[in-house]
Amino acid sequence: MTNPFSLEGKVALVTGGAYGIGYAIAKAYAQAGAKIVFNCRSPKHRDQALADYQRDGIAAKGYLCDVTDEAAVTQMVADIAADLGPVDILVNNAGIIKRIPMLDMTAADFRQVVDIDLNAAFIVSRAVLPGMLKKGHGKIINICSMLSEVGRETVAGYTAAKGGLKMLTKNIASEFGAQNIQCNGLGPGYIATPQTAPLREPGNPFDAFIKVRTPAGRWGTVEDLMGPAVFLASDASNFVNGQILYVDGGILAYLGRQD
Ligand code: NAP
Ligand code: GCO
């Protein structure tokens, strides 16, 4: 029997795969046999990432492309098709967060978060879908969040975007399931990456709060996401569509402890 978790020969585009969660997912896909393409905005991040991939023995291609720029995304997807072939696996991972109390958050702040964390997933998915339809298969994995399900103070834009991304996931699954395209979400819990570094600074009570709220009793690592991300990209998940797989150490299942 062939390995249902193999990604041998597949072309995988991981947006924002320069570091953090995207980098770890791309690394897992390379280990499973995929050809890796990533993009980010900063030349410094792209060059550092290319060196990191090379150090890890991965022949990744890195593009400078802002996922909110429709024309740039269209060009990148055409370039990938010309260089490596059409994208088989898309991970909509690029994202930002702004932690600002809602009464201080401007509409521009809110729009920027929604633009990158939600609208761009539509833009990049729409750009790769014609190639997937032609090939007769495709996997789209949207990086959702615990905040696709629950809210908290200061992150109105992020929570609105990640909630919307959950529903975009279900809609892509609904619209393209008959064409053998699966779209699922991966919902990381609180993971130690540059994005969450301010929450883990010494003296920030959020650090202890997360450890107490998480049944696993710790922050997640990017390695915790590697196996689930491979599952959602591989034939092993061919009848899984429109689901959000939360990888959160149990936090969403937990009512909390009474002191
Ligand atoms: P991160 O460490 O801040 O990395 C974000 C990546 O996205 C970087 O490579 C960044 O590179 C790129 N990026 C940001 N805006 C972009 C844009 N407009 N166009 C292209 N690339 C862009 O974040 P992370 O913690 O790895 O998070 C990755 C994803 O997981 C995000 O969607 C995040 O919301 C989600 N998530 C994170 C956690 C967590 O606890 N860390 C939990 C749940 C979900 P440039 O700056 O060079 O563009
Ligand atoms: C925050 C965090 C979260 C996490 C993650 C949780 O400020 O609450 O940054 O948004 O990054 O998305 O799943």
Side-chain angles (χ1 to χ4, degrees):
M1 186 189 164
T2 53
N3 175 3
F5 296 97
S6 169
L7 303 181
E8 207 57 55
K10 298 280 165 67
V11 176
L13 167 60
V14 181
T15 69
Y19 53 85
I21 289 172
Y23 185 89
I25 290 176
K27 192 171 160 184
Y29 287 178
Q31 287 165 356
K35 296 176 209 153
I36 303 304
V37 186
F38 72 95
N39 71 291
C40 62
R41 295 164 302 180
S42 143
K44 197 171 129 223
H45 294 159
R46 195 262 318 259
D47 294 347
Q48 179 61 54
L50 286 173
D52 291 343
Y53 280 110
Q54 199 176 19
R55 180 205 61 212
D56 287 338
I58 300 165
K61 277 189 83 72
Y63 289 86
L64 286 182
C65 171
D66 186 322
V67 285
T68 63
D69 180 340
E70 203 175 350
V73 168
T74 304
Q75 186 61 53
M76 174 176 70
V77 170
D79 289 347
I80 296 168
D83 286 353
L84 298 172
V87 172
D88 299 289
I89 301 162
L90 165 66
V91 183
N92 282 310
N93 164 78
I96 62 162
I97 190 165
K98 286 178 185 259
R99 299 183 186 97
I100 305 170
M102 181 154 163
L103 295 184
D104 299 327
M105 186 178 277
T106 63
D109 286 325
F110 186 92
R111 282 199 194 98
Q112 193 195 0
V113 175
V114 173
D115 218 24
I116 297 177
D117 292 4
L118 174 59
N119 298 345
F122 167 80
I123 290 172
V124 187
S125 299
R126 201 180 54 176
V128 302
L129 274 162
M132 291 179 171
L133 289 168
K134 230 185 211 163
K135 273 192 151 182
H137 68 83
K139 298 276 186 182
I140 298 179
I141 295 119
N142 291 327
I143 305 302
C144 297
S145 163
M146 283 182 40
L147 302 187
S148 299
E149 297 293 339
V150 295
R152 82 171 188 87
E153 61 286 354
T154 76
V155 289
Y158 188 85
T159 305
K162 293 295 185 178
L165 188 59
K166 175 178 74 173
M167 292 313 298
L168 177 64
T169 302
K170 291 175 192 251
N171 209 80
I172 294 173
S174 306
E175 198 160 342
F176 297 101
Q179 282 84 30
N180 193 27
I181 290 167
Q182 291 84 46
C183 179
N184 291 290
L186 183 66
Y190 278 82
I191 310 293
T193 70
Q195 193 215 66
T196 53
L199 303 176
R200 286 176 285 105
E201 270 168 11
N204 190 336
F206 202 86
D207 181 47
F209 165 70
I210 284 304
K211 288 177 187 153
V212 146
R213 285 282 292 113
T214 306
R218 64 169 175 86
W219 283 74
T221 65
V222 293
E223 287 76 19
D224 288 323
L225 301 169
M226 291 169 87
V230 169
F231 168 65
L232 292 178
S234 70
D235 287 348
S237 61
N238 279 353
F239 203 54
V240 179
N241 211 358
Q243 300 297 311
I244 314 298
L245 175 53
Y246 290 101
V247 183
D248 66 353
I251 192 168
L252 279 174
Y254 186 41
L255 189 58
R257 187 174 52 232
Q258 189 198 345
D259 285 329

